[in-house]
Amino acid sequence: DAGVTQSPTHLIKTRGQQVTLRCSPKSGHDTVSWYQQALGQGPQFIFQYYEEEERQRGNFPDRFSGHQFPNYSSELNVNALLLGDSALYLCASSYGAGPQETQYFGPGTRLLVL
Amino acid sequence: AQSVAQPEDQVNVAEGNPLTVKCTYSVSGNPYLFWYVQYPNRGLQFLLKYITGDNLVKGSYGFEAEFNKSQTSFHLKKPSALVSDSALYFCAVSAPFSGGYNKLIFGAGTRLAVHP
């Protein structure tokens, strides 16, 4: 059973460019959450997708947007990249709500903005 | 607002000795608490979670965590540390939003170094 997968593993962009990161959830999971982990910090919640809609959003600007496809896979898009967007971007998948829900993470995409 | 604190940036322990990684939390209502581990250049791996019931939760790789409501703590423990346990450990609290769905709020992480 494949776990959460993410692509690409690494990415280098320059300021002002746009980037798209991809995530495939664990089998049987229907919810995808995205987190940003800056160097030396804990992950911070960006947003969560369920049934192809954004269900909740963290404190991130509108430059960060996402999408979920009918097969539950998801994309994170970041426009007008800033140096401060350099981070490890983690995707987590889950199923259910409340105490039944456990989020399982992928290996992440490391983004470097020059 | 929910928050998590991990008061130690790094914990050093000798192989074979017991280890403790500390976590305190601040939540409204009953907390769901989690521990994750991160190895270099890897994502987060789920270790264990507390929902309700027994204050001692057992997880993967011989780890356990003790929930203490009065001290608002959820410390990670292992009776005998291995060098391979060396990694970055994150405590997290589940912050529910409408519909009962959750986002995770993480601490800053504690680096565990187990020396031979």
Side-chain angles (χ1 to χ4, degrees):
Chain A
D1 177 26
V4 181
T5 60
Q6 292 186 244
S7 63
T9 56
H10 295 82
L11 209 49
I12 300 175
K13 293 286 187 179
T14 57
R15 282 178 297 174
Q17 285 189 311
Q18 178 265 344
V19 67
T20 297
L21 311 181
R22 296 177 177 81
C23 171
S24 291
K26 188 176 169 66
S27 178
H29 287 186
D30 58 7
T31 299
V32 172
S33 303
W34 286 91
Y35 292 81
Q36 180 196 65
Q37 185 181 11
L39 198 61
Q41 298 182 23
Q44 292 197 352
F45 176 76
I46 303 175
F47 42 52
Q48 185 177 94
Y49 275 84
Y50 172 73
E51 290 190 341
E52 304 180 50
E53 292 194 357
E54 184 182 290
R55 187 155 71 183
Q56 179 71 355
R57 188 178 185 91
N59 189 25
F60 280 81
D62 291 344
R63 298 187 297 109
F64 289 77
S65 63
H67 187 77
Q68 186 179 33
F69 299 94
N71 67 352
Y72 308 120
S73 67
S74 177
E75 290 182 348
L76 164 65
N77 300 291
V78 187
N79 293 323
L81 285 167
L82 303 174
L83 295 180
D85 295 331
S86 296
L88 179 67
Y89 288 85
L90 296 165
C91 166
S93 73
S94 59
Y95 176 81
Q100 287 76 33
E101 182 189 9
T102 297
Q103 294 186 18
Y104 292 89
F105 286 79
T109 294
R110 188 164 296 279
L111 172 66
L112 177 61
V113 182
L114 301 176
Chain B
Q2 287 88 345
S3 65
V4 174
Q6 293 182 243
E8 303 154 315
D9 290 336
Q10 179 153 332
V11 170
N12 296 295
V13 64
E15 187 176 30
N17 283 0
L19 69 87
T20 298
V21 182
K22 296 179 181 178
C23 171
T24 59
Y25 65 89
S26 174
V27 300
S28 53
N30 295 319
Y32 302 151
L33 296 160
F34 300 79
W35 277 101
Y36 287 85
V37 59
Q38 186 174 39
Y39 295 98
N41 301 314
R42 302 283 295 276
L44 302 180
Q45 294 182 27
F46 169 73
L47 281 179
L48 51 82
K49 72 176 178 181
Y50 172 82
I51 303 171
T52 187
D54 194 349
N55 290 341
L56 188 63
V57 180
K58 294 190 181 297
S60 305
Y61 312 120
F63 284 93
E64 57 191 24
E66 186 172 12
F67 172 71
N68 188 316
K69 187 172 184 177
S70 63
Q71 297 185 4
T72 61
S73 66
F74 188 56
H75 300 333
L76 181 70
K77 299 173 184 282
K78 188 174 183 181
S80 178
L82 300 172
V83 172
S84 58
D85 293 330
S86 299
L88 190 56
Y89 290 80
F90 288 97
C91 180
V93 63
S94 183
F97 47 91
S98 61
Y101 306 106
N102 301 295
K103 61 182 179 184
L104 293 176
I105 296 175
F106 287 87
T110 298
R111 187 164 301 282
L112 174 66
V114 182
H115 304 285

